[in-house]
Amino acid sequence: MQRPGWDEYFMEITGVVSRRSTCLRRQVGALIVRDHRILATGYNGAPAGMRHCLEVGCLREKQGIPSGERHELCRGLHAEQNALLQAALHGISIAGGVFYVTHQPCVLCAKMIANAQISKVVFRGAYPDRMALDVLLECNIELVRL
């Protein structure tokens, strides 16, 4: 059990990580933590080797696509996806970990989080995706909105 204050401490760090984001619409940061140790970080942006939206513009913005819809029409990966991929790339087991995210995960990320055996998700900002919360709750993942 984490002592009071850990959630707020790690959420502060997600804010710092989010500053690396190259997304023009929303800067998101994520951490995966276990036993008070940061195992992986992620922020939203284009895959390695691709030009970032900062350079080429936002396709979703140009097409007027609302937040929370048509995820496939985006150059970037979500912060949660990048944190999961970073852990996998470096062979770090994250089962039983806690995900800290500046914003509520979308349904795609929620399903990945569930399959990664994350035990808890802590987030601050809203995201228009009720199904994501339903997935996490059905998978018995503790949710904390700060």
Side-chain angles (χ1 to χ4, degrees):
M1 186 72 184
Q2 292 184 356
R3 68 179 185 181
W6 280 110
D7 286 346
E8 291 82 5
Y9 172 76
F10 287 120
M11 283 303 296
E12 283 183 45
I13 296 171
T14 64
V16 173
V17 171
S18 75
R19 293 180 6 210
R20 301 237 14 231
S21 170
T22 58
C23 179
L24 298 172
R25 291 180 122 188
R26 183 186 314 251
Q27 286 65 51
V28 180
L31 304 176
I32 303 172
V33 174
R34 190 177 57 224
D35 299 326
H36 306 133
R37 294 174 189 246
I38 298 171
L39 302 176
T41 64
Y43 54 89
N44 54 332
M50 280 185 73
R51 291 182 297 156
H52 294 281
C53 298
L54 292 171
E55 301 170 77
V56 299
C58 176
L59 177 64
R60 294 169 57 79
E61 194 69 36
K62 289 175 187 171
Q63 293 186 9
I65 298 168
S67 183
E69 297 179 16
R70 304 292 313 268
H71 296 283
E72 74 278 8
L73 296 178
C74 179
R75 297 179 68 79
L77 291 162
H78 288 185
E80 301 93 324
Q81 294 166 341
N82 274 324
L84 291 166
L85 289 167
Q86 184 185 58
L89 182 66
H90 296 287
I92 300 168
S93 174
I94 58 172
V98 177
F99 231 119
Y100 291 90
V101 193
T102 55
H103 295 76
Q104 174 202 310
C106 72
V107 70
L108 299 173
C109 291
K111 291 186 278 186
M112 291 179 202
I113 288 167
N115 266 10
Q117 299 179 359
I118 296 295
S119 63
K120 177 179 171 181
V121 175
V122 181
F123 64 96
R124 193 174 307 276
Y127 191 73
D129 193 338
R130 177 64 209 181
M131 188 175 178
L133 298 177
D134 293 341
V135 165
L136 294 169
L137 290 171
E138 186 174 337
C139 292
N140 295 315
I141 297 171
E142 181 182 355
L143 290 174
V144 176
R145 181 167 183 193
L146 297 180

